[in-house]
Amino acid sequence: MKESLFIINHQKTWQELENILKEYNSGNKKTDGDTLHRLFDLYQTVCGHLSIARTRYGNTGTVDYLNNLVSRAHQAVYTSRPGSLQSVAHFLAKGFPALIKREYRAFLLSAGVFVFGFLFSFLTVLYWEDYALSFIPAEYVTAVRNLSGNTGNFNFAVASVAIFTNNIRVGIIAFALGITFGVGTVYVLAKNGMILGAMAAVSAKAGTDFVFWSLILPHGIPELFCIFVCGAAGLTTAKHMIFPGLHSRRKSFSAGGKKSLMMFLGTIPIFILAGLTEGYITPLPVEPAYKYAAALVWLIVLTGYIFSGKKSILSAK
């Protein structure tokens, strides 16, 4: 491709990046989360253009211009600015939901791996109950079988708390193992899905499933949402490692890691609120129906939170 045609084809992209950098550096108005994400995407794209221009055209004015543009964009993307409670609140209110919608494919894949593990162990134990011990310890099986309407009979230390109070650790591992090209992330998601599926099957066989789910869902819905997001963060890292596109693998990994880290950090407040739910709602000696109501509230709140942004999932990039 001739250099003049290369410029014509990509000039619109370069100008858009110029405009965003001008707005970002002006200080006259606050740059919203969508604009920052667009800045990041354009930075990656123009880095690819610079690499192509250097290879094809050598030391030309186009290369000098792109080098300058990429340098300014790099400074805007990677130079830390003083943080504030207001910026954190803005990220949690708008930036994090927008990021989840933007990476919805990774989120759905993460949830799908977990659900696959859940269904595999659930159906296996439902038809061959002796295999329950292949997925969960014997004390879990005993605790779930002995459930009754009186939650005082439920050994939280052995079962529910033992499973879900470590979900922050599970989330961290699912996120961190993205560097294994996603293999470790998939394993963690599938394994935890199988644990829950086996316990659900045991409760179904024992006729204690109504009580079992009333003890799981109030805190399980937000915690599982966080795990799916952490898994999506790990898979996003893996995607940038496996498919670097026009960028070097190192640069692509750096870009994916930054995005994944923001996804993980956004789950921390939800993990904390889920822990409070587990500590104060789950153990209450009330009818299971009230706990199902609490779980429904969590589901509505999370759904509204994620879909409250400007863009729908179908229009996310």
Side-chain angles (χ1 to χ4, degrees), residues 272-303:
I272 293 172
L273 292 174
L276 293 174
T277 302
E278 182 176 3
Y280 292 99
I281 303 297
T282 300
L284 288 176
V286 297
E287 290 296 322
Y290 293 105
K291 299 180 182 182
Y292 281 109
L296 181 61
V297 169
W298 258 118
L299 183 61
I300 293 172
V301 168
L302 286 174
T303 302

Side-chain angles (χ1 to χ4, degrees), residues 7-299:
I7 294 173
I8 293 172
N9 286 345
H10 301 298
Q11 192 169 24
K12 186 177 179 181
T13 300
W14 304 341
Q15 187 59 50
E16 183 182 359
L17 180 56
E18 289 273 15
N19 293 338
I20 291 178
L21 288 173
K22 184 177 180 180
E23 176 186 342
Y24 184 80
N25 293 318
S26 66
N28 294 326
K29 61 174 95 173
K30 186 179 296 182
T31 308
D32 62 28
D34 288 339
T35 303
L36 292 176
H37 282 300
R38 184 60 180 158
L39 167 62
F40 191 70
D41 292 339
L42 288 171
Y43 166 70
Q44 291 183 291
T45 301
V46 177
C47 281
H49 294 167
L50 174 59
S51 177
I52 293 172
R54 279 175 173 166
T55 302
R56 293 180 179 176
Y57 312 123
N59 295 322
T60 65
T62 302
V63 172
D64 291 339
Y65 167 74
L66 290 176
N67 189 60
N68 177 266
L69 182 59
V70 165
S71 297
R72 288 187 286 129
H74 182 276
Q75 184 177 6
V77 170
Y78 291 103
T79 300
S80 300
R81 292 187 165 188
S84 67
L85 291 177
Q86 186 177 5
S87 63
V88 172
H90 183 270
F91 169 71
L92 294 176
K94 295 183 178 181
F96 179 62
L99 183 57
I100 298 303
K101 286 185 288 187
R102 195 176 296 272
E103 299 298 325
Y104 76 95
R105 293 181 180 88
F107 179 86
L108 293 179
L109 179 59
S110 174
V113 171
F114 184 95
V115 171
F116 176 80
F118 175 91
L119 291 175
F120 175 76
S121 63
F122 179 81
L123 294 175
T124 300
V125 176
L126 195 64
Y127 288 99
W128 300 283
E129 193 172 6
D130 290 343
Y131 282 97
L133 297 180
S134 299
F135 302 103
I136 54 177
E139 54 266 32
Y140 286 18
V141 174
T142 302
V144 172
R145 284 173 176 169
N146 291 336
L147 282 175
S148 69
N150 178 11
T151 57
N153 294 333
F154 183 64
N155 190 339
F156 286 95
V158 171
S160 180
V161 172
I163 294 296
F164 286 102
T165 54
N166 74 341
N167 273 348
I168 292 181
R169 180 181 62 85
V170 172
I172 293 173
I173 294 173
F175 158 64
L177 289 183
I179 61 172
T180 64
F181 296 93
V183 175
T185 298
V186 170
Y187 170 77
V188 169
L189 291 169
K191 178 182 178 181
N192 282 271
M194 287 188 285
I195 291 173
L196 182 59
M199 293 179 67
V202 170
S203 70
K205 295 281 287 186
T208 61
D209 47 337
F210 185 72
V211 176
F212 171 78
W213 285 114
S214 75
L215 298 172
I216 296 299
L217 291 178
H219 58 88
I221 286 179
E223 286 177 338
L224 289 178
F225 168 78
C226 290
I227 286 179
F228 296 163
V229 173
C230 291
L235 294 174
T236 298
T237 299
K239 180 184 71 174
H240 283 265
M241 294 174 63
I242 298 171
F243 306 109
L246 296 175
H247 316 291
S248 68
R249 201 171 300 277
R250 185 184 68 176
K251 186 170 292 184
S252 180
F253 169 72
S254 176
K258 187 179 182 70
K259 187 185 299 183
S260 299
L261 179 61
M262 297 305 292
M263 293 172 69
F264 167 71
L265 293 176
T267 65
I268 293 177
I270 303 176
F271 265 129
I272 293 172
L273 292 174
L276 293 174
T277 302
E278 182 176 3
Y280 292 99
I281 303 297
T282 300
L284 288 176
V286 297
E287 290 296 322
Y290 293 105
K291 299 180 182 182
Y292 281 109
L296 181 61
V297 169
W298 258 118
L299 183 61

